[in-house]
Amino acid sequence: MSQGRSAKSSRIERTRFIPSAANTPLLQLRTVGITTQGRTQLHTHYVPAPSLSIFDSSDAGSDAGPWDGWDELSLEQEEPQEIDSWIPERQAFLDETLHLEGHGNAGISCRCGLAAPLFRCRDCFGTQMFCQECVLQSHANNPLHRIDMWNNLFFQCSTLKQMGLRVQLGHEPGETCYNPCPLAGDDFVVIDVHGVHEITLDFCGCASAQIRYKQLLHAQWYPATTSDPRTAATFTLLEHFHILSFESKVSAYEFYHSLARRNNNAGLSHIRDRYSAFMRMIHEWRHLRQLRRAGRGHDPAGAKAMTAGELAVLCPACPHPGKNLPQDWQNVPLLVRWKYALFIAIDANFRLKCKAVSSDNRDPSLNSGWAYFVEEAAYKSYLADQAGAKQDRSTCVSHNAVNMADTKSSHGLAATGIGAVDCARHDMKLANGVGDLQKGEKYINMDYLMFSALLAFAVTMINISYDITCQWHKNLWTHIEAMPLRLHISHTSMTVRFFVPKFHLKVHIDQCQRNFSFNWSKHVGRTDGKAPERRWSNINRVATSTKEMGPGSRRDTLDDHFGDWNWKKVTALGRTLLRKISDAVKWKREHGEGLAELERTIQPMLILQWRKEVEAWEEDGSQRNPFESRYAPITQAAVRLRLAELEADELQAGTNVSLHTDISPTRLITTGIDLQDQQQRLKTDMANASLHPTDKQKTAMQTRVTALQRRLDAWARVQELYMPIVSQFRQRSSEAGPESFKLWLPSELQPTVSCDKKLAAHEWDLRHAQAQDALNKVRSHLRLRSHMYIYKDRNVRGQAASTRAQALIEGVEMRKRASVDKYRRARNALLALGYRLDKSGWDISLPPLLDSDVRPMGDMERQGTGTISWIWLDSHVDNSSSENERVQDCVRVEWCKARARANRWSEEVELLLEEMRRVIVFLKWQAEWWGGRRSSRASESAAEQEGLAAYACRQATLRLSLVTSFQAL
């Protein structure tokens, strides 16, 4: 093993592979191993595999097939990957590439026998030299190849047009046109993957000739206009840019200028400006591809008979009555029907802006509401009617999306962003679920988009996720009255539930966290509601280019990108659902075992009672929420407030006995406990200080020491007013620092030393709350540390990133140890005060905190053995004290959460199995639908009829191949 390299284990990866020249599918075996020098080697072998339908997927969905994944490309290399073996041959590679700048190994004569040929094709195979006549003859079918001419010094660029090649349309190569029609000026431009070409073009003018743009289309050249075309783009170029724009999000401007640079990269020749024509051709090409995939070319009514949302790629895993649901799905019991619910997620994206650079009249949309964007005219008409509607302010937290919707700047913008409705479980855009936002995330926009998206579904149960749903849902059914009649849905016969995505839930108030949680609600599985956020990361990369487009081009471009995303999701559903159900089965088992282990520590009668309560709340949300503690938590802040209120009452009644005008007895004890915490922090920081601190670090530490000493001196002078006895004990040495200063609080005095019981009672209340606070922080730090360890193991790679992550974990560990020490100090103080105040029974709820007790609850859940630490259960209580009820309430809440976790994972398994079934049934239905399109449209031309049937068969075969692939998984 070479030095500095970590050991790697050999592995074998298997991938189905179909060679282009064979009909037998092979299984690709990729063996990754380690050489004796420590280098990684990858070998590829092919063996026969089970049969798979062969199909051409060049026009399926987004011009792609059912590959394993979309974010990674498979390696298909037949030689080991060793960069070290290339370095010794580097000079040879360099020499060979320079050798090809000359004649290379080409012969000294042309194939026709002519000596000293001057021309070579850059795009043909090999480096053979040709004479001018042979070049023109061999390129009759390749008029867009690039030609180089030898000028006795080097090869310089030439063109087939300069050499006299004329391209004849309307006839097969070699046929003679008796009435060629040259283009005026012989100036025709074709944009191809090799560059921007000028050619000499003759249209056919025979009696049977077709219109000029059709002649170009028959040659697989797309015309820039239908009247007197002078520019065209090859189908190959349009397909290439189409896919490239999906994967790299390259703009049309950058792509066109990269083609122009292939003609001349020195800027010495004029670049033919066909950018506007290229943009127009791409716009039309995207639209035509969507029409083909929707089967519009097979409908006798044609494209004009399109309906709203028909161009959208549907999610096969969502419930579609008549397509992938059982015949009697509406009549099945609720115990089964919940699996047929629709999950949708709503969100807005303010990066997809649109500048006010054009208008719908100058740049109309070709889709016009047929895909994902709603129809613009009807949408804007509704918004204009509701322009005076006032946005309700949030009563939860300060949601900027709600409270600042009317104040968001829109200067110079036609749209400040978009709102969208997604399939919440499968991350796909819904048809007619996208629309522009004009002034922030207003309810009127989001209402319209949601109801438009729901028109395509006839389900009776809907789960809606929205980050501000706690405010938005309040008047939703009131708002529907102002909607156009076509958007009205019969919500009275539907079950509609509202949720907040898990990522956003923590910023809501406690009531929202309990009432809108996916975790605590039944029949939702492990849905998280974050689908739109995942989608934005992909589409945001086109924001820079789309914001400069006209409104119609922008909407159609985004429609096409949404369709490509949906199609990639469809083809990856097999792997996605397999991965999800593998995880779900594992977690279902582990959380089930964890719940069973927890229930062994609880009396069966209590479990029966708690189960009735939680089931009643699940059926009726107006019942008491079982996930809510029935006792207010004891905190230092709450105790301080209560003591301050008592002092205010004493002042009002004239019974206050404060001996200082500014500092009351309560304030004295409170400040003393705070000073004690500051002493401990200073002591810890001094112990962890660097051995060789800088001057800046020394200055900061000395400033802290001096400030603490001043506060201690001021507090000690006041303390002697309330506790004169401490002056006898305080003998501070001049060498002792403030971190070691003895405070002599009531808990630090011997029981035989007299002390005001009121001061001791104040400290008792505060210490008890301090212990509870510290215990809460210990639990919080344990959860955070476990989360950070899991995140580090799964996501962090590299020494620098690992070091930073470990430093964060160490910071959490230090805070956890500080909280443990604070709990122990508070408990020791309570022990001393208990003797003075004759307190008994308090230590039942605050037992000693051992190092072995400080462990995460998850340890037991992962291993399935052992017991939960008392810090999570605190079940060691007697049956007489009132503290038993508080602890029992804590255990009840923890049991409800454990039960909910187990139930959610169990539901997730059921949902995934149902979604697998729906995907297979939907694809079979779609294959049958395409099979019926073979002869749905009659054509007078046999060639056209054959093309229609071939396309329908290819699409049907593609769906059946996906079915075969998914079923194999």
Side-chain angles (χ1 to χ4, degrees):
M1 182 71 67
S2 61
Q3 186 176 5
R5 294 179 182 266
S6 59
K8 302 182 181 71
S9 59
S10 301
R11 67 180 187 273
I12 297 178
E13 300 178 3
R14 298 173 175 84
T15 304
R16 190 181 296 274
F17 175 74
I18 304 173
S20 58
N23 290 330
T24 303
L26 303 177
L27 189 66
Q28 181 193 81
L29 299 181
R30 295 182 295 171
T31 306
V32 182
I34 307 298
T35 65
T36 56
Q37 291 78 24
R39 303 189 184 102
T40 301
Q41 284 187 333
L42 188 148
H43 297 276
T44 303
H45 314 278
Y46 300 98
V47 297
S51 61
L52 177 68
S53 300
I54 306 301
F55 56 88
D56 176 14
S57 59
S58 61
D59 193 41
S62 293
D63 298 338
W67 316 125
D68 291 345
W70 289 96
D71 298 327
E72 298 181 359
L73 294 178
S74 300
L75 299 176
E76 298 180 3
Q77 299 163 343
E78 298 180 358
E79 299 296 333
Q81 287 182 309
E82 293 189 22
I83 191 68
D84 294 343
S85 65
W86 177 84
I87 294 177
E89 306 298 329
R90 175 170 49 193
Q91 188 63 41
F93 276 77
L94 179 62
D95 293 342
E96 286 298 323
T97 56
L98 289 174
H99 181 204
L100 295 175
E101 290 294 316
H103 285 76
N105 297 322
I108 59 175
S109 61
C110 178
R111 64 184 181 183
C112 65
L114 180 67
L118 301 177
F119 299 97
R120 184 175 72 183
C121 179
R122 242 189 285 178
D123 301 315
C124 287
F125 179 77
T127 59
Q128 179 67 38
M129 300 289 294
F130 299 94
C131 65
Q132 181 172 347
E133 183 178 352
C134 288
V135 167
L136 294 178
Q137 181 181 358
S138 63
H139 284 80
N141 294 336
N142 298 296
L144 302 181
H145 279 197
R146 296 167 296 171
I147 304 299
D148 291 334
M149 183 182 71
W150 181 253
N151 63 5
N152 294 324
L153 294 175
F154 59 89
F155 281 104
Q156 67 180 35
C157 295
S158 182
T159 65
L160 290 169
K161 178 180 179 180
Q162 293 172 348
M163 298 172 66
L165 179 67
R166 301 192 67 87
V167 179
Q168 177 65 57
L169 296 182
H171 294 271
E172 295 295 330
E175 291 184 1
T176 302
C177 179
Y178 295 100
N179 187 21
C181 298
L183 193 68
D186 277 341
D187 184 21
F188 196 90
V189 175
V190 180
I191 309 171
D192 190 32
V193 291
H194 300 311
V196 183
H197 305 274
E198 298 179 31
I199 64 171
T200 304
L201 183 69
D202 292 336
F203 289 99
C204 177
C206 301
S208 60
Q210 293 187 320
I211 194 170
R212 289 190 172 184
Y213 78 83
K214 287 190 176 182
Q215 294 184 38
L216 289 168
L217 289 174
H218 287 173
Q220 297 192 33
W221 290 358
Y222 194 93
T225 179
T226 57
S227 59
D228 193 21
R230 293 177 175 271
T231 305
T234 64
F235 283 15
T236 302
L237 170 83
L238 296 176
E239 291 172 353
H240 178 67
F241 174 75
H242 201 190
I243 289 294
L244 192 64
S245 67
F246 292 148
E247 293 301 316
S248 71
K249 302 300 186 285
V250 64
S251 69
Y253 180 87
E254 295 166 338
F255 183 79
Y256 181 81
H257 281 76
S258 68
L259 292 176
R261 289 183 63 180
R262 293 198 69 180
N263 289 50
N264 182 273
N265 200 26
L268 298 177
S269 62
H270 176 66
I271 297 177
R272 300 301 300 269
D273 185 10
R274 293 295 188 272
Y275 171 66
S276 297
F278 177 63
M279 284 289 293
R280 185 166 58 251
M281 288 185 284
I282 283 294
H283 189 186
E284 296 170 2
W285 178 266
R286 292 184 187 274
H287 179 65
L288 287 175
R289 289 285 158 170
Q290 289 176 301
L291 291 175
R292 285 159 53 100
R293 295 162 190 155
R296 276 294 103 195
H298 295 72
D299 194 319
K304 294 182 179 180
M306 285 289 297
T307 57
E310 195 172 343
L311 295 183
V313 178
L314 301 181
C315 173
C318 281
H320 298 280
K323 298 175 183 177
N324 61 3
L325 291 185
Q327 292 293 331
D328 59 343
W329 67 273
Q330 292 177 304
N331 301 321
V332 299
L334 183 61
L335 291 175
V336 178
R337 192 165 10 114
W338 67 268
K339 294 187 290 186
Y340 305 143
L342 174 68
F343 290 80
I344 65 173
I346 307 172
D347 197 28
N349 183 335
F350 294 104
R351 293 194 61 183
L352 294 174
K353 299 177 177 65
C354 177
K355 291 184 177 180
V357 295
S358 186
S359 65
D360 289 313
N361 292 331
R362 295 177 58 189
D363 181 39
S365 170
L366 297 179
N367 290 350
S368 189
W370 294 345
Y372 303 94
F373 272 87
V374 293
E375 201 280 315
E376 192 70 7
Y379 179 49
K380 287 185 175 178
S381 175
Y382 164 76
L383 296 179
D385 293 341
Q386 299 296 316
K390 188 176 180 180
Q391 184 91 343
D392 296 331
R393 295 189 66 81
S394 171
T395 59
C396 174
V397 292
S398 183
H399 290 305
N400 288 341
V402 178
N403 296 339
M404 300 182 66
D406 293 318
T407 62
K408 193 171 183 67
S409 174
S410 58
H411 180 69
L413 298 175
T416 58
I418 66 170
V421 182
D422 283 29
C423 160
R425 286 187 57 83
H426 315 107
D427 303 353
M428 300 190 201
K429 284 285 179 291
L430 299 186
N432 290 132
V434 183
D436 285 329
L437 304 177
Q438 294 73 35
K439 195 74 173 177
E441 196 171 346
K442 286 192 172 184
Y443 290 158
I444 55 175
N445 297 80
M446 310 311 287
D447 293 345
Y448 189 96
L449 299 179
M450 190 201 72
F451 290 125
S452 295
L454 290 181
L455 286 181
F457 298 92
V459 294
T460 59
M461 300 181 67
I462 303 176
N463 298 313
I464 302 175
S465 170
Y466 192 13
D467 52 2
I468 54 174
T469 195
C470 58
Q471 306 300 311
W472 170 74
H473 87 287
K474 292 180 178 178
N475 300 313
L476 180 63
W477 305 122
T478 303
H479 295 167
I480 197 175
E481 301 300 329
M483 291 279 175
L485 290 177
R486 64 182 181 83
L487 297 183
H488 286 201
I489 61 174
S490 180
H491 61 277
T492 55
S493 60
M494 300 175 62
T495 300
V496 182
R497 296 193 296 169
F498 300 93
F499 300 91
V500 173
K502 294 180 180 180
F503 179 78
H504 298 278
L505 190 60
K506 285 297 182 182
V507 302
H508 286 250
I509 61 176
D510 291 342
Q511 182 181 0
C512 293
Q513 292 185 30
R514 291 187 296 268
N515 295 338
F516 299 99
S517 172
F518 275 109
N519 288 328
W520 313 141
S521 301
K522 68 175 183 178
H523 295 163
V524 294
R526 289 291 300 171
T527 310
D528 56 24
K530 297 187 295 183
E533 281 84 353
R534 300 187 186 97
R535 179 66 185 96
W536 297 142
S537 62
N538 177 270
I539 197 63
N540 281 342
R541 292 187 291 160
V542 303
T544 304
S545 57
T546 56
K547 74 177 180 181
E548 304 286 348
M549 295 180 180
S553 298
R554 168 180 167 273
R555 290 195 295 271
D556 291 352
T557 300
L558 291 176
D559 270 343
D560 201 28
H561 279 272
F562 293 148
D564 174 70
W565 175 269
N566 279 13
W567 175 251
K568 291 197 293 186
K569 283 289 183 178
V570 169
T571 57
L573 274 175
R575 297 285 179 185
T576 301
L577 294 178
L578 176 62
R579 184 188 71 250
K580 286 184 175 181
I581 199 166
S582 299
D583 292 340
V585 169
K586 179 188 70 173
W587 287 111
K588 173 188 176 182
R589 181 181 63 255
E590 294 196 11
H591 282 283
E593 293 173 354
L595 176 62
E597 188 71 21
L598 175 59
E599 289 181 343
R600 294 192 192 101
T601 66
I602 306 173
Q603 298 178 9
M605 292 301 296
L606 287 176
I607 296 178
L608 290 176
Q609 176 187 342
W610 296 345
R611 182 174 287 113
K612 289 181 181 179
E613 293 176 0
V614 71
E615 289 176 352
W617 175 79
E618 289 175 342
E619 294 298 327
D620 182 4
S622 63
Q623 299 289 329
R624 174 181 287 186
N625 192 322
F627 298 95
E628 181 179 357
S629 177
R630 294 165 190 174
Y631 296 91
I634 301 175
T635 63
Q636 280 185 280
V639 171
R640 290 180 180 183
L641 176 61
R642 180 169 59 83
L643 293 176
E645 291 173 346
L646 288 175
E647 287 186 354
D649 293 340
E650 291 175 354
L651 284 172
Q652 188 71 21
T655 59
N656 186 268
V657 292
S658 296
L659 301 178
H660 194 279
T661 56
D662 296 325
I663 300 178
S664 64
T666 302
R667 178 77 179 276
L668 176 74
I669 300 300
T670 300
T671 306
I673 292 176
D674 289 343
L675 287 171
Q676 195 177 61
D677 290 341
Q678 294 175 30
Q679 285 180 303
Q680 188 62 35
R681 286 197 294 270
L682 179 61
K683 189 181 298 185
T684 302
D685 291 345
M686 293 176 70
N688 295 328
S690 172
L691 293 176
H692 305 285
T694 63
D695 290 343
K696 185 176 181 180
Q697 291 171 334
K698 292 179 181 178
T699 302
M701 183 61 70
Q702 186 58 50
T703 301
R704 288 181 59 187
V705 171
T706 304
L708 180 59
Q709 185 65 65
R710 289 173 179 170
R711 287 194 292 270
L712 287 169
D713 291 341
W715 180 83
R717 288 193 294 269
V718 177
Q719 183 191 24
E720 292 181 0
L721 295 176
Y722 290 97
M723 302 173 63
I725 192 68
V726 300
S727 60
Q728 302 177 18
F729 301 110
R730 182 165 290 133
Q731 297 176 356
R732 179 167 58 86
S733 173
S734 58
E735 290 83 9
E739 71 278 4
S740 303
F741 184 83
K742 189 77 170 179
L743 295 177
W744 295 111
L745 290 166
S747 60
E748 296 175 304
L749 298 175
Q750 293 293 331
T752 57
V753 178
S754 62
C755 177
D756 188 350
K757 282 199 172 185
K758 193 169 187 179
L759 292 176
H762 288 338
E763 187 181 0
W764 170 273
D765 292 338
L766 290 168
R767 291 293 190 182
H768 195 271
Q770 185 185 38
Q772 296 285 356
D773 270 355
L775 203 56
N776 286 334
K777 289 182 179 179
V778 169
R779 289 191 285 257
S780 177
H781 293 325
L782 285 172
R783 293 191 191 99
L784 181 58
R785 189 187 64 174
S786 298
H787 171 77
M788 294 178 70
Y789 267 121
I790 293 173
Y791 179 84
K792 177 178 178 292
D793 292 341
R794 292 180 179 177
N795 302 284
V796 176
R797 298 293 183 271
Q799 182 175 355
S802 296
T803 302
R804 288 193 296 269
Q806 190 61 41
L808 292 174
I809 294 174
E810 285 297 327
V812 175
E813 180 66 22
M814 289 180 60
R815 291 194 291 272
K816 185 208 73 177
R817 288 196 295 266
S819 298
V820 171
D821 292 340
K822 180 184 288 189
Y823 175 86
R824 291 169 177 169
R825 290 198 310 273
R827 190 178 186 279
N828 290 335
L830 288 171
L831 282 172
L833 293 169
Y835 292 110
R836 184 179 297 276
L837 300 174
D838 295 329
K839 296 281 187 178
S840 62
W842 63 270
D843 56 332
I844 297 298
S845 60
L846 295 174
L849 183 58
L850 306 178
D851 290 341
S852 59
D853 296 328
V854 185
R855 64 179 187 271
M857 179 186 287
D859 286 354
M860 184 279 297
E861 292 187 1
R862 283 196 297 269
Q863 299 170 7
T865 59
T867 58
I868 301 177
S869 171
W870 69 265
I871 67 174
W872 304 100
L873 292 179
D874 197 7
S875 59
H876 300 86
V877 296
D878 60 8
N879 295 321
S880 59
S881 66
S882 60
E883 194 66 27
N884 177 38
E885 297 179 1
R886 291 181 178 274
V887 176
Q888 190 180 98
D889 182 69
C890 177
V891 177
R892 178 187 58 79
V893 173
E894 290 300 326
W895 175 84
C896 289
K897 293 179 179 179
R899 174 186 176 274
R901 286 191 293 269
N903 286 352
R904 295 300 82 78
W905 282 110
S906 179
E907 293 166 1
E908 181 71 8
V909 172
E910 292 189 60
L911 272 176
L912 289 171
L913 290 173
E914 168 61 18
E915 287 168 352
M916 289 179 174
R917 185 200 64 81
R918 287 204 293 253
V919 168
I920 298 298
V921 174
F922 183 90
L923 291 175
K924 289 181 178 179
W925 168 85
Q926 211 169 40
E928 184 179 351
W929 184 88
W930 272 111
R933 292 296 181 273
R934 291 182 58 183
S935 57
S936 59
R937 175 186 169 190
S939 175
E940 296 180 358
S941 169
E944 290 181 2
Q945 190 67 49
E946 182 185 35
L948 291 171
Y951 186 84
C953 287
R954 182 151 58 87
Q955 294 295 326
T957 303
L958 170 60
R959 270 69 184 182
L960 293 177
S961 299
L962 287 174
V963 169
T964 302
S965 174
F966 293 173
Q967 286 178 331
L969 292 174

